[in-house]
Amino acid sequence: MNPAVLAIVSVLAGVLVGAGGVYAFMVSERKRGHVDEPVPTIGDGAAEVLSVVGRGYVVVDSTNGVVKANPSAYAYGLIRGHSLVHEELRSIADRVRRDGVVEEAQFELPRTPLGGASIVVFVRAAALGDEFILLLADDRTEVTRTEAVRNDFVANVSHELKTPVGAISLLSEAIDDAADDEEAVRRFAKRLFIEAKRLSALVQDIIELSRLQGTNVVIKGQRVSIDAVISEAIDRNTMSAEAKSITIRAGRPLGAYVHADAEQITMGLRNLIDNAIRYSPAGTTVGVGARLVDGVVTVSVTDQGPGISPEDQERIFERFYRVDAARSRQTGGTGLGLSIVKHVFTNHGGDVTVWSHEGQGSTFTVRLPQMDESAVADENEREMP
């Protein structure tokens, strides 16, 4: 058991043993009709120790009635009124009371009576004196979620890497076997180049996503012109647009600034424009427009592609999710582009949404808070010679 927890339990045990003795004496006296005072609660000394525990705690009596608890325990949804809400917690308290042995367990519990949202808590239970049980609860919800996301990500990456790596291996063997057939060698070499390019794009997206998750925008951010970002994102997609005879049409300059990592939001918008180009028919137009409303900078990217069904719209920002896996492979998509977009703008205190109708194209919209104008003026003054 954690030494810090043992120390806390030991101190509380000393305080509460005395309380337990008084409690037993008063019960005995009450049975003989000598006193009418109510059963005592935890003394001030124990309350002071509990106040510095740094986690959710509940102290229950012999009937699992709540004697004392801190706000965290209520926030976790462990208590309602003066009772433990969950049978799992009552059971662990009963076992400790019966066996006198410290128990530890992790539970996923509903946070409200209506179900829905749940919380993952790691609970340590120990006896305090003869009458009380202490339950210490750590909120492990975010840790558990992050671990699940990481495991899922690793599994997905492994699966996605198998396809291009396997294809490269097979194509290499085919080229070797067809060494005397010049036409076959050219055909296999061309396919090999495509798979190698796809593998390179996938690895690059994985690196970018990993880098995004470790970047603190608050610290690294600076004043960034949204017009400059849009222009740079369009420039980075010019060649791919020209290859499909697609016109990228930009709206008028906005003249607004945001607090951001310029490279990150450029990458986010570049991915949106690239996605629009990939799924648009040749000879169509991709529109990029910006506007400022109530202190929020909004940038929209509109295409004339096939559109996205309502079911798919709910999942397109998930890692490796593809509306049409076969088509995505044909266009060279990695399945990470929109996930990167979501991470970029969420990290900047913004968001990304999609409007789409099958057969009518799609519009992806990102929003960012405008940088405070007084901050911009101050920075301009500092930059003057």
Side-chain angles (χ1 to χ4, degrees):
M1 188 176 180
N2 189 307
V5 175
L6 280 172
I8 292 170
V9 171
S10 298
V11 173
L12 288 172
V15 175
L16 292 176
V17 163
V22 174
Y23 172 73
F25 172 77
M26 294 186 69
V27 169
S28 174
E29 291 297 295
R30 187 165 56 251
K31 286 182 179 178
R32 289 185 290 175
H34 293 166
V35 293
D36 296 321
E37 287 84 350
V39 176
T41 57
I42 294 178
D44 293 337
E48 290 178 6
V49 174
L50 287 171
S51 68
V52 296
V53 166
R55 65 198 71 187
Y57 71 80
V58 184
V59 177
V60 296
D61 60 19
S62 58
T63 62
N64 286 336
V66 176
V67 176
K68 189 171 184 62
N70 66 349
S72 294
Y74 285 94
Y76 295 166
L78 307 182
I79 305 167
R80 191 172 303 119
H82 296 286
S83 303
L84 289 174
V85 172
H86 307 289
E87 176 60 31
E88 294 88 342
L89 300 183
R90 293 192 291 270
S91 295
I92 196 173
D94 289 339
R95 289 196 300 273
V96 171
R97 188 178 295 109
R98 182 191 65 214
D99 303 331
V101 178
V102 174
E103 283 207 23
E104 298 179 346
Q106 184 163 293
F107 305 109
E108 183 172 355
L109 306 170
R111 205 159 200 159
T112 69
L114 302 178
S118 62
I119 182 173
V120 177
V121 289
F122 184 79
V123 177
R124 294 183 179 93
L128 296 178
D130 296 328
E131 299 295 331
F132 301 102
I133 300 295
L134 171 66
L135 303 174
L136 293 175
D138 285 331
D139 183 359
R140 297 287 182 86
T141 308
E142 186 61 25
V143 172
T144 303
R145 185 195 67 81
T146 301
E147 184 175 336
V149 168
R150 185 181 66 243
N151 292 339
D152 184 56
F153 181 63
V154 170
N156 283 331
V157 166
S158 300
H159 174 74
E160 291 293 326
L161 288 174
K162 283 180 181 178
T163 302
V165 170
I168 289 171
S169 177
L170 290 173
L171 287 166
S172 299
E173 293 178 12
I175 289 174
D176 185 55
D177 292 339
D180 297 329
D181 187 342
E182 186 175 341
E183 184 179 347
V185 168
R186 286 200 183 98
R187 186 171 68 252
F188 291 143
K190 183 178 180 180
R191 184 61 192 172
L192 183 64
F193 174 76
I194 292 172
E195 292 297 339
K197 187 176 179 181
R198 180 180 170 216
L199 179 60
S200 176
L202 178 57
V203 171
Q204 184 61 38
D205 277 354
I206 292 170
I207 292 171
E208 292 291 355
L209 191 56
S210 176
R211 187 172 68 86
L212 284 174
Q213 294 173 325
T215 299
N216 188 329
V217 175
V218 174
I219 296 174
K220 294 188 176 182
Q222 56 186 332
R223 180 172 67 102
V224 176
S225 165
I226 199 66
D227 297 326
V229 167
I230 292 173
S231 178
E232 178 67 16
I234 291 174
D235 285 345
R236 294 188 187 185
N237 284 283
T238 299
M239 290 183 64
S240 58
E242 290 176 349
K244 293 183 66 175
S245 300
I246 289 176
T247 301
I248 303 177
R249 184 165 296 160
R252 291 181 299 177
L254 191 62
Y257 292 86
V258 294
H259 181 267
D261 181 311
E263 184 58 32
Q264 278 197 25
I265 61 172
T266 300
M267 177 178 60
L269 288 177
R270 183 198 70 202
N271 282 359
L272 281 183
I273 298 170
D274 175 71
N275 189 71
I277 293 170
R278 287 178 187 274
Y279 291 95
S280 292
T284 57
T285 298
V286 170
V288 183
R291 59 195 180 101
L292 178 63
V293 180
D294 297 330
V296 176
V297 175
T298 300
V299 182
S300 297
V301 178
T302 302
D303 64 53
Q304 295 174 275
I308 307 168
S309 70
E311 296 78 13
D312 288 321
Q313 289 178 39
E314 297 178 2
R315 300 192 59 190
I316 55 175
F317 295 104
E318 296 177 13
R319 296 167 179 169
F320 298 112
Y321 182 78
R322 296 183 177 93
V323 174
D324 185 338
R327 182 171 182 180
S328 181
R329 289 190 176 92
Q330 290 173 1
T331 59
T334 64
L336 285 173
L338 291 179
S339 178
I340 288 174
V341 171
K342 181 179 179 181
H343 272 284
V344 165
F345 291 100
T346 300
N347 285 355
H348 285 78
D351 59 17
V352 55
T353 57
V354 60
W355 174 93
S356 186
H357 194 283
E358 291 179 281
Q360 297 183 19
S362 306
T363 297
F364 287 84
T365 301
V366 299
R367 300 190 304 168
L368 288 171
Q370 180 189 20
M371 189 171 186
D372 186 84
E373 291 298 332
S374 60
V376 174
D378 291 343
E379 189 161 341
N380 283 337
E381 289 180 6
R382 287 196 296 272
E383 290 177 354
M384 292 179 64

